[in-house]
Amino acid sequence: MVMGCIYVVGFGPGSVEHITARAREAIAESSAVIGYNTYVDLLASLVADKEIVRTGMTEEVSRAQRAVDLAMGGRTVAVISSGDAGLYGMAGLVYEVLMEHGWQPGDNPTVEVIPGISAIHSCAALLGAPIMHDACTISLSDHLTPWSVIEQRLEAAAAADFVIALYNPRSGRRTRQIVEAQRILLKYRRPDTPVGLVKSAYRSRQQVVRTTLSDMLNHEIGMLTTVIIGNQSTFYYGDLMITPRGYQRKYTLGEATQRLRPKDRLKPENEPWALPQAPRQTDTHPGHHAGSGTTAPNTPRAWAEAALAQLERRADPKPALSGTPPAEAVSAIPVAHSWPNAQTQILEVAVSPGVANKKFLPSQLLVLADLAGSTGEIEYTTAHQLILRVATDDPEHVVSQLQEAGLTVLPTGDVVKVKACDFCDGEKADGIPYAETIARRLAGLSVEKELRIGYNGCAMSCYGAVTEDIGLVFRKGKFDLFLGGKTTGRNAGPGQRVAEGIPAEEMPDLLERIVQRYRQEAFPGERFHKFFARVGEIEGFSHTSQPQTIAVDSPCGS
Ligand code: SAH
């Protein structure tokens, strides 16, 4: 008997250059090519001398059956699928039809699935680098999957901060699904979350639209579109949609010498966000056990016992919080080295919905309230942050729950604080990416004395950026820079306007150099305005003295 062969070929987004060499080889070796009409047309140049079996949409089952029939008769057949054949493609279906025939691996015909570039990756490449991190694909097609399941997946992916690629987002008849998807996502993500719409990637009618979660439905979305929704860190840099992977947590990307030497980069104290290496004896959180050596099996019974143990712990009175906790007990994020000891300590962190976003979601407030419990404190401050103070033997868990809720968590005290306006509730969004870059790079860095960077998105400067230690006013795509504002006190006053019209893309690096100089050269406890007056020059900007105030007798003479 002549052995037949089925190649299930993913041919990528649709351009000949993006077909892999193995896919071309497989098509060349095949005597028959089976595919959806449009795909056969896309590959016309490669399939000219073959028997072609083309069918319409929703004919996948008959295509797979035909491939199996031909191959069982000894033919070599290529079943072509766009993108990757193993993702909403033909691979699974071919195996399922073979199984119906009682086929076993090794039987006639042989099967080879040839991987291709899926839409998530081709569309991402056209947008910049929006995937970069944990991402998932969700198909909005409910022809074969109940909508209730799709809805659950959208909720879970949105809550877990995945970058999401929506496939099959909309067709002539399925128009509500994308509206529902947007509604669900807006429960968890900011309206200005970057969203990329890519239609017909690498095909002749390619279209790339950069928009936001709140605005996406005002653009064309159809059968040939993939919708890529950013996570909470995704930003636009000009036209590029970028999701940072987290390098800024450890590296200064603009500098040749790094704060951490290579041998220190993987040390636990430099990764306070990582899962502690040694399992903790008192840990009762299900799913929180670190690999081998842990005692709790991953079963519902173990979870129930863990939950009971936790309730018992909650019933124990926690140390009461009165006034400001003693300095040595107040720990912010960089205290991981003390966490595995499981001692109760008071965690103090600054929490906000983001640098530009001023709106807490109800679900985020619930998480905050739950973490504070009856003995913790939530305090609002002038720095556009809430301070959460809570007694805990597991600060890492508290921080990760806040972050999982989409909240920005930073240390408190003498650190860099970045305060931005709300960009007219997102209407003046051009400056937001720079604010986010600056916050990501600088917010939370330890300094001699609290350093406030004020950032306003237009010349109105209604959030008072110019009276902060460093003020940035973004207007017409450029920055005005103010240095040395005195933020509080009887003689408070605005900073000196040292420059106008700084190109926006230069600002984050320039600001980082200013902050680094202050970090390196400030005297103990020296505030930024005093530092600027003392050193007289920073990054080429010279300090000029403020006019002296003259004491005047009261005009009434009383
Ligand atoms: N197997 C394919 C997906 C098929 S499902 C893959 O891995 O890419 C069909 C969906 O894929 C479309 O609705 C669209 O969301 C996406 N898609 C496929 N090719 C695309 C392209 N060239 N440009 C944009 N989206 C594409």
Side-chain angles (χ1 to χ4, degrees), residues 259-279:
R259 186 173 56 86
L260 295 174
R261 287 168 301 171
K263 69 182 181 56
D264 295 329
R265 287 181 193 157
L266 303 181
K267 286 189 173 161
E269 62 268 34
N270 291 323
E271 297 181 334
W273 49 81
L275 183 65
Q277 280 164 8

Side-chain angles (χ1 to χ4, degrees), residues 426-439:
E427 269 179 38
K428 296 217 161 103
D430 293 359
I432 294 177
Y434 301 105
E436 287 177 342
T437 304
I438 288 165

Side-chain angles (χ1 to χ4, degrees), residues 14 75 124 128 184 210 456 470 513:
R75 301 275 299 272
I184 292 169
R210 289 138 185 114
N456 278 189
I470 298 177
R513 291 197 297 274

